[in-house]
């Protein structure tokens, strides 16, 4: 068996670490060619010494220099590259078959598009790439002949419920239902959220995630971005995407077919399941996740995603119905808002308001290229900082 050559972008984050865990279980099937991290030199050093990739990439030159020196001292042959352009170069490298795109935020857009244009098997964990890129990203997938596999548990669930032949999807779907845990404040009165701390917001009841995505889950902005992602992944109209609160996180999402049959994917809340599926599609491999025991699983319950309790969620449909680029504005504003909250500059309950204000104020303009989208991202961030 020829081993798949894998590049993990964002290897020190939660998705990256889980990806390496799955890869370690199948050394006969996979070879790690490249790893990347933003600034975590110690973690990336350890991964390089364990996996011995050909390349390691750090966008920050100072961090890359430290990693390069420490690898040299350890006698490692791994070549360290630096700069944002290196991420795109590695994602499109001819010695790479599969790219795990797990860089957080809009920074993941350029390397994801590079991988798509190069026709890679693209495992998309960076939802912001498709939220920001939208039509441009999907055009790159089509023109490059890439195999696009969603890694978010919800979109992976939808994908697993649909036929492998994408051209038949539209004939079958009435609508889809994305499930959401509701986060740590599902039952808390909205009027009491002003004093929420970063530690409280990051304490997700079901999933182990990074700080940014944990805050997004607490505000339900994570689900808003997933609504936008689903629109592009499955070529759906905004009204064909619905959200239900499902506190147990056992049903990961559902497809309601035109005949009103409901197809659902169930499993324990472990990101190694969709990662393993993406790596092995259309086959199935062991993931390391524990088996779902239906006899001991608590009752499955569902609640409405209330707009008063989760105002940020409903900005997704507003952005989808706005001019092209509105979803990029929403994403950029949210990244600034979450960073401000984590650094004590913005109250938790003001995150959705800042996002809504940017969505109302910033006119997207040209969205026909990566540079144009990154300019829109920068303009939105500047405006969000001004509002702060």
């Amino acid at each position: 068996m020829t081993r798949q050559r894998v590049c993990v972008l964002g290897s020190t984050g939660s998705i990256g670490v889980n990806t390496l865990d799955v890869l370690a279980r199948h050394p006969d099937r996979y070879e790690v060619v490249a790893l990347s991290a933003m600034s975590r030199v110690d973690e990336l050093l350890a991964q390089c010494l364990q996996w011995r990739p050909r390349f390691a990439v750090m966008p920050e030159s100072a961090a890359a220099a430290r990693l390069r020196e420490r690898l040299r001292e350890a006698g490692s042959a791994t070549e360290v590259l630096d700069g944002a352009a290196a991420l795109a170069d590695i994602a499109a490298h001819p010695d790479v078959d599969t790219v795990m795109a797990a860089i957080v935020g809009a920074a993941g857009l350029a390397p994801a598009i590079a991988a798509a244009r190069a026709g890679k098997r693209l495992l998309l964990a960076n939802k912001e790439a498709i939220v920001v890129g939208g039509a441009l990203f999907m055009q790159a997938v089509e023109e490059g002949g890439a195999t696009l596999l969603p890694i978010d548990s919800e979109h992976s669930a939808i994908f697993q419920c649909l036929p492998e032949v994408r051209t038949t999807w539209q004939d079958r779907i009435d609508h889809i239902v994305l499930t959401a845990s509701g986060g740590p404040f599902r039952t808390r009165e909205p009027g009491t959220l002003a004093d929420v701390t970063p530690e409280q917001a990051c304490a997700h009841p079901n999933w182990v995630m990074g700080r940014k995505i944990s805050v997004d889950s607490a505000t339900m902005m994570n689900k808003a971005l997933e609504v936008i992602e689903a629109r592009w992944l499955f070529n759906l109209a905004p009204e064909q995407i619905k959200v239900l609160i499902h506190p147990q996180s056992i049903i990961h999402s559902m497809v309601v077919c035109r005949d009103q049959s409901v197809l659902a994917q169930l499993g324990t809340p472990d990101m190694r399941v969709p990662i393993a599926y993406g790596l092995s599609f259309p086959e199935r491999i062991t993931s390391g996740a524990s088996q779902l025991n239906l006899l001991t699983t608590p009752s499955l319950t569902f609640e409405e995603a209330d707009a008063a309790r989760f105002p940020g969620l409903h900005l997704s449909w507003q952005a989808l119905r706005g001019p092209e680029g509105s979803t990029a504005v929403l994403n950029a504003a949210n990244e600034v808002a979450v960073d401000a909250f984590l650094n004590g500059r913005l109250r938790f309950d003001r995150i959705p308001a800042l996002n809504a204000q940017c969505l109302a104020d910033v006119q997207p303009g040209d969205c026909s290229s990566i540079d144009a989208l990154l300019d829109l991202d920068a303009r939105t961030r500047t405006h969000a900082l001004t509002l702060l």
Side-chain angles (χ1 to χ4, degrees):
M1 177 187 295
T2 302
R3 295 195 296 171
Q4 278 189 51
R5 298 167 298 180
V6 181
C7 166
V8 183
L9 300 176
S11 63
T12 61
S14 175
I15 294 294
V17 169
N18 277 308
T19 299
L20 293 176
D21 181 87
V22 175
L23 294 175
R25 298 169 190 276
H26 304 277
D28 57 324
R29 296 181 64 114
Y30 305 103
E31 172 190 358
V32 176
V33 174
L35 300 172
S36 88
M38 179 60 71
S39 59
R40 298 177 179 173
V41 174
D42 291 343
E43 290 92 332
L44 188 54
L45 172 67
Q47 290 178 345
C48 288
L49 294 179
Q50 177 183 354
W51 290 95
R52 293 182 290 181
R54 181 174 169 188
F55 302 106
V57 182
M58 302 198 80
E60 297 179 357
S61 58
R66 293 197 302 273
L67 177 65
R68 191 177 292 114
E69 177 63 20
R70 294 182 66 180
L71 283 172
R72 185 191 64 77
E73 292 172 352
S76 171
T78 296
E79 180 181 355
V80 179
L81 307 175
D82 62 82
L87 292 171
D89 292 342
I90 287 300
H93 198 283
D95 291 342
V96 169
D97 304 311
T98 298
V99 175
M100 169 58 79
I103 296 173
V104 175
L109 173 62
I113 287 182
R117 287 175 174 164
K120 306 300 184 184
R121 173 185 286 252
L122 178 54
L123 279 54
L124 188 66
N126 169 261
K127 64 174 62 65
E128 292 88 351
I130 199 168
V131 168
V132 174
L136 185 68
F137 179 85
M138 295 307 296
Q139 180 183 357
V141 170
E142 182 176 356
E143 292 178 352
T147 300
L148 179 61
L149 297 160
I151 299 302
D152 270 350
S153 61
E154 296 81 2
H155 302 94
S156 177
I158 298 295
F159 189 91
Q160 292 181 55
C161 290
L162 293 171
E164 292 180 14
V165 181
R166 290 175 180 250
T167 54
T168 65
W169 287 359
Q170 293 303 307
D171 297 332
R172 301 185 181 222
I173 299 175
D174 181 84
H175 65 276
I176 65 171
V177 178
L178 303 178
T179 56
S181 70
F185 310 126
R186 177 178 63 86
T187 61
R188 186 162 163 174
E189 285 301 316
T192 69
L193 297 177
D195 60 349
V196 164
T197 67
E199 289 69 29
Q200 292 171 327
C202 292
H204 195 281
N206 298 336
W207 298 92
V208 177
M209 304 179 293
R211 286 169 66 80
K212 195 270 182 183
I213 194 172
S214 294
V215 174
D216 282 346
S217 180
T219 63
M220 288 282 278
M221 269 304 303
N222 189 44
K223 204 58 52 179
L225 298 178
E226 289 174 9
V227 168
I228 297 167
E229 185 180 3
R231 176 265 177 273
W232 291 108
L233 285 173
F234 306 112
N235 192 26
L236 299 172
E239 56 269 18
Q240 287 182 284
I241 308 166
K242 305 182 187 301
V243 173
L244 278 179
I245 304 297
H246 170 51
Q248 296 80 27
S249 296
I250 298 297
I251 295 179
H252 296 300
S253 279
M254 296 173 272
V255 174
V256 180
C257 302
R258 291 195 173 182
D259 62 3
Q260 299 308 304
S261 297
V262 179
L263 308 179
Q265 187 263 338
L266 287 71
T268 53
D270 190 322
M271 284 306 299
R272 290 177 296 180
V273 175
I275 289 169
Y277 182 75
L279 285 168
S280 63
F281 176 81
E283 301 176 38
R284 299 270 184 170
I285 60 173
T286 56
S287 65
S290 60
Q291 187 176 36
L292 178 65
N293 187 333
L294 293 174
L295 296 176
T296 60
T297 296
S299 298
L300 305 183
T301 61
F302 302 91
E303 303 164 8
E304 182 181 1
D306 180 49
R309 188 175 297 278
F310 303 113
L313 168 63
H314 296 268
L315 293 175
S316 59
W317 288 280
Q318 179 182 333
L320 282 172
R321 294 186 176 101
E324 184 179 359
S326 296
T327 57
V329 171
L330 180 60
N331 177 75
N334 184 62
E335 288 192 19
V336 172
V338 171
D339 181 72
F341 165 68
L342 289 172
N343 288 286
R345 299 177 58 208
L346 182 68
R347 280 181 6 205
F348 177 83
D349 63 334
R350 298 299 298 165
I351 293 175
L354 182 68
N355 294 342
Q357 192 63 54
C358 286
L359 198 56
D361 293 348
V362 180
Q363 297 303 309
D366 176 35
C367 298
S368 61
S369 68
I370 294 178
D371 286 343
L373 288 168
L374 292 179
D375 176 70
L376 174 59
D377 180 86
R379 286 196 292 115
T380 304
R381 289 171 189 271
T382 297
H383 185 67
L385 289 170
T386 300
L387 292 175
L388 278 173

